[in-house]
Amino acid sequence: MERKNNAAGSVPVMPLRRMNMFAEKEKAGNVKGTVLRLGTWFLREKMLLVAIFAVVLLSTICSILAPGLQSRAIDVIAGDNNRRILLEAVMFMFTAYLICSVMNLLTGLFSAHLSQRLVKRMRNELFDKLVRLPVGYSDTHSRGDLMSRMTNDIENMSMTVSMSVPSFFSGVLMLLGTAAVMFWFCWQLAVLSLLTIFMTVLAAKFIAVMVRRYSRKRQALLGSLNGFVEETVSGFRTVAAFSRQRISIEKFEKISDELTSAGIRTEIFSGIMGPVMNCIGNVSFVIIAACGGVFAVNGLISVGMISAFIIYARQFSRPVNELAQIYSQLQSAVAGAERVFATLDCVSEDQSGEELNDGEPLNIYFRNVDFSYEEGHPVLRNFSLDVPAGRKVALVGSTGSGKTTVVNLLLKFYHPDSGEILLNDQKLSSLSCSSVRSQVAIVLQDTEFFEGTITENLRFANQDATDEQIERALQLSRCSDLIARLPRGRETVISASAQNISQGEKQLLSIARALIADPQILIMDEATSNVDTATEKCIQDAMQNVMRNRTSIVIAHRLSTIRDADLIVVMDHGTVVEQGNHFELLMAHGKYYELWSTQYAGLAT
């Protein structure tokens, strides 16, 4: 069973195969809407956009003026050969190209700033959304896929679009300016040049459709590959223990082959955009050279004008090619943006609600609760249960009977389909999540720790915990000897995935972390399953003191650990089939008796 974390400790969740209520639905490719939404992100950087537009405008003006100055210089050479006029033309042309180069440098610098600011802003908003989403969302998405959205998709989206902004400004300005000058010099040649635009539009439209299709597939496969790698690395002990290396490699290669295939197709269609546009541009060049020669012979234009027109034709085709490539690249960015926006559009967990009444011992009441993770497959059926304040209640039953679901509903990770849950006389549905969870601490069979010192991990349950509170929790959970054996005591750094401490030590520290939260409700889910018998006895003795005056819910398969529970609730297929204390249930010879007899016989339950 997979586990997650909350502020008070680890949090139980249900297997992925049971969850589709938060599953992300594939959206039809709304390119226009996505592009417009991306535009709103760029508008947040107004000053940078204005600066980019200004330098691109100056660069474009210089690029448009330079060929005219070159034409004048050629006509001077071919005509009266006036050195003064020739020198002036050359100096102006040199100045124009120098300014153009400087502006291009500034454009690159501003674009880099724009890109990195967008990356920061997008990642901040996406991470803020991820930590505010309901637990069910993370249950239905692999960690690798979420990481891919946070890294690959955002990087691809911001880099592609931010680098396209100056190209878009430059392309539009160059097209308008060059077309105006071309019509001013010779409208006949200008019309012939514009005929090639129709070919460009048709080619760009076809290629862009193919790029968008395979880019979307590539991004999805990249998320799947990251998810599989993350799961394999984190669970490598299991992979090695069952000798699943070969099968894992085959599955990885299968996903990788599909990703490679989609990537090749994406790169092919993205790559052919430039050559196709260049080919069309060369056709335009041939038309201008041939027709311009005819016009020059007939005296319609000068030789220098032909030279200028060839450069203008190149300048005219270049932004057309760039805009076509930008459109192609945007398809890849849109594919990533759709995945990011799909997460940003998910509804955050509702944090509103009333506060729990202070100072009152908490009684828990489940009243005719029905719940299902997947429609048509109920997990709890007409479930009713009273958990008195300060009492120890144990939930037992076979796997899949709904024990962990009861905890999920109590922590407001999910909401009942029908019925209601009460804390004293307050409805759980009307209470805020933070108010409820601040009164609950949980200890799980599978524990989660973060990279950092032991003290930092313990304070995860309560940032304001004093050293005295921490020491008391360590003593009650029998961690004092463990801390004394460590080279740096509580300041020992727990490595990534907590590989430098044993599973039993993590279990003890998890119990200490729950105690530091000082909750009214304590939930123990197979909390002593990873420690030896002697340590378990010490923990059980300590927990008796900890549970005193607290409402406690214990989920257990090892029935010997809950013999002293005030109330044992036996669940089967989402319903309560028996309840009572240990001896009452044994005398009843019902489901609990069967479970006890099976364990006593040494068989697996």
Side-chain angles (χ1 to χ4, degrees), residues 84-122:
R84 185 181 63 81
I85 298 177
L86 176 61
L87 182 60
E88 289 179 356
V90 171
M91 289 302 297
F92 280 122
M93 184 172 61
F94 174 78
T95 303
Y97 280 123
L98 179 62
I99 293 175
C100 182
S101 299
V102 174
M103 293 303 102
N104 288 337
L105 175 62
L106 292 177
T107 299
L109 293 175
F110 291 151
S111 297
H113 279 282
L114 177 63
S115 172
Q116 293 308 309
R117 289 189 183 185
L118 284 174
V119 168
K120 179 183 178 181
R121 188 187 298 273
M122 289 179 177

Side-chain angles (χ1 to χ4, degrees), residues 3-11 440-444 446-451 453-463 465 469-470 473-474 477 479 494 505-519 522:
R3 316 287 174 172
K4 305 288 180 188
N5 278 4
N6 80 326
S10 297
V11 174
V440 180
I442 187 166
V443 179
L444 294 173
D446 299 323
T447 58
E448 292 284 351
F449 283 88
F450 304 96
E451 188 171 1
T453 65
I454 290 177
T455 299
E456 291 171 345
N457 274 275
L458 293 176
R459 283 205 170 104
F460 195 77
N462 181 4
Q463 294 295 324
Q469 290 175 310
I470 293 176
L474 291 173
S477 60
C479 289
I494 297 178
E505 290 170 341
K506 287 195 292 185
Q507 195 73 65
L508 290 169
L509 290 173
S510 179
I511 293 171
R513 180 171 60 184
L515 299 181
I516 289 174
D518 193 23
L522 185 63

Side-chain angles (χ1 to χ4, degrees), residues 345-599:
D345 289 340
C346 289
V347 179
S348 300
E349 186 176 54
D350 184 8
Q351 298 293 330
S352 62
E354 303 173 359
E355 295 296 312
L356 266 173
N357 295 329
D358 293 333
E360 297 183 12
L362 293 179
N363 298 280
I364 306 171
Y365 306 104
F366 287 81
R367 294 287 182 262
N368 308 113
V369 172
D370 291 327
F371 176 77
S372 59
Y373 293 102
E374 184 177 352
E375 188 175 354
H377 298 81
V379 178
L380 295 181
R381 301 175 178 85
N382 197 31
F383 179 82
S384 296
L385 175 66
D386 292 350
V387 181
R391 304 289 293 278
K392 177 181 178 181
V393 176
L395 303 180
V396 301
S398 58
T399 300
S401 59
K403 302 184 297 297
T404 300
T405 299
V406 173
V407 174
N408 283 336
L409 295 178
L410 178 59
L411 288 169
K412 296 196 70 174
F413 294 149
Y414 299 94
H415 303 283
D417 298 334
S418 62
E420 62 182 12
I421 304 172
L422 302 172
L423 294 181
N424 292 338
D425 58 347
Q426 294 179 277
K427 292 184 178 181
L428 188 68
S429 58
S430 66
L431 297 172
S432 67
C433 294
S434 59
S435 176
V436 173
R437 294 170 190 170
S438 65
Q439 299 300 323
V440 180
I442 187 166
V443 179
L444 294 173
Q445 176 182 356
D446 299 323
T447 58
E448 292 284 351
F449 283 88
F450 304 96
E451 188 171 1
T453 65
I454 290 177
T455 299
E456 291 171 345
N457 274 275
L458 293 176
R459 283 205 170 104
F460 195 77
N462 181 4
Q463 294 295 324
D464 299 324
T466 63
D467 289 339
E468 291 75 15
Q469 290 175 310
I470 293 176
E471 287 299 331
R472 180 174 179 275
L474 291 173
Q475 292 175 2
L476 288 175
S477 60
R478 300 300 191 266
C479 289
S480 298
D481 292 341
L482 162 64
I483 298 298
R485 292 196 303 269
L486 296 175
R488 299 183 59 190
R490 281 169 36 195
E491 298 308 308
T492 299
V493 176
I494 297 178
S495 63
S497 302
Q499 294 300 314
N500 59 335
I501 58 176
S502 70
Q503 190 66 33
E505 290 170 341
K506 287 195 292 185
Q507 195 73 65
L508 290 169
L509 290 173
S510 179
I511 293 171
R513 180 171 60 184
L515 299 181
I516 289 174
D518 193 23
Q520 285 207 55
I521 301 174
L522 185 63
I523 298 174
M524 309 286 287
D525 188 354
E526 291 291 342
T528 61
S529 61
N530 290 324
V531 297
D532 56 69
T533 305
T535 304
E536 178 187 357
K537 181 62 170 62
C538 293
I539 293 175
Q540 289 292 336
D541 293 341
M543 294 309 292
Q544 294 305 316
N545 294 327
V546 173
M547 291 180 181
R548 186 173 297 127
N549 300 324
R550 284 193 175 94
T551 308
S552 304
I553 299 177
V554 181
I555 298 175
H557 285 98
R558 194 186 302 175
L559 301 183
S560 60
T561 63
I562 47 91
R563 291 182 57 177
D564 61 341
D566 298 309
L567 177 67
I568 299 174
V569 179
V570 185
M571 298 181 63
D572 187 36
H573 293 91
T575 61
V576 177
V577 294
E578 287 182 309
Q579 54 181 315
N581 63 38
H582 173 71
F583 296 104
E584 291 172 347
L585 293 176
L586 285 181
M587 294 298 295
H589 284 74
K591 183 70 175 179
Y592 182 81
Y593 178 82
E594 293 178 9
L595 294 172
W596 180 269
S597 299
T598 303
Q599 287 193 9

Side-chain angles (χ1 to χ4, degrees), residues 103-347:
M103 293 303 102
N104 288 337
L105 175 62
L106 292 177
T107 299
L109 293 175
F110 291 151
S111 297
H113 279 282
L114 177 63
S115 172
Q116 293 308 309
R117 289 189 183 185
L118 284 174
V119 168
K120 179 183 178 181
R121 188 187 298 273
M122 289 179 177
R123 283 181 178 162
N124 286 347
E125 292 202 17
L126 183 58
F127 186 79
D128 183 74
K129 169 62 71 170
L130 286 175
V131 297
R132 297 178 187 277
L133 287 173
V135 171
Y137 183 86
S138 62
D139 294 341
T140 54
H141 293 77
S142 73
R143 297 177 184 177
D145 181 66
L146 294 178
M147 287 299 298
S148 182
R149 297 180 192 222
M150 177 68 69
T151 55
N152 299 324
D153 289 341
I154 286 183
E155 191 74 28
N156 178 44
M157 177 174 57
S158 63
M159 288 296 293
T160 300
V161 180
S162 63
M163 295 305 293
S164 299
V165 167
S167 297
F168 176 77
F169 287 161
S170 175
V172 172
L173 293 173
M174 186 66 74
L175 278 176
L176 295 176
T178 303
V181 173
M182 289 171 70
F183 274 98
W184 176 264
F185 284 164
C186 181
W187 67 268
Q188 295 94 335
L189 282 180
V191 170
L192 291 173
S193 300
L194 294 179
L195 290 177
T196 59
I197 290 187
F198 295 104
M199 301 170 58
T200 301
V201 171
L202 291 176
K205 183 176 181 180
F206 170 76
I207 295 174
V209 170
M210 303 305 294
V211 170
R212 181 169 66 252
R213 177 187 304 171
Y214 290 111
S215 291
R216 188 179 294 119
K217 183 177 180 181
R218 180 177 65 177
Q219 295 303 112
L221 286 170
L222 184 60
S224 298
L225 187 70
N226 288 340
F228 179 73
V229 171
E230 193 276 336
E231 290 173 355
T232 303
V233 172
S234 61
F236 183 71
R237 289 178 180 271
T238 303
V239 173
F242 287 95
S243 300
R244 303 281 291 186
Q245 291 94 331
R246 182 180 60 82
I247 295 176
S248 296
I249 291 172
E250 290 175 354
K251 185 175 181 180
F252 175 85
E253 290 179 344
K254 180 180 178 182
I255 301 175
S256 182
D257 288 344
E258 293 177 358
L259 177 59
T260 301
S261 178
I264 289 175
R265 285 174 169 79
T266 303
E267 295 301 325
I268 286 176
F269 284 106
S270 296
I272 65 174
M273 181 69 78
V276 169
M277 296 302 105
N278 286 332
C279 180
I280 297 174
N282 290 333
V283 171
S284 175
F285 171 75
V286 171
I287 293 174
I288 292 172
C291 296
V294 174
F295 292 162
V297 171
N298 293 328
L300 294 177
I301 58 176
S302 65
V303 176
M305 188 62 66
I306 295 176
S307 173
F309 226 97
I310 290 175
I311 296 176
Y312 282 129
R314 289 285 189 183
Q315 286 188 173
F316 187 81
S317 62
R318 180 178 62 82
V320 172
N321 296 346
E322 288 181 353
L323 291 175
Q325 291 184 36
I326 289 172
Y327 186 67
S328 174
Q329 294 168 359
L330 279 176
Q331 308 313 307
S332 177
V334 167
E338 286 178 341
R339 285 160 47 82
V340 173
F341 291 153
T343 301
L344 290 176
D345 289 340
C346 289
V347 179

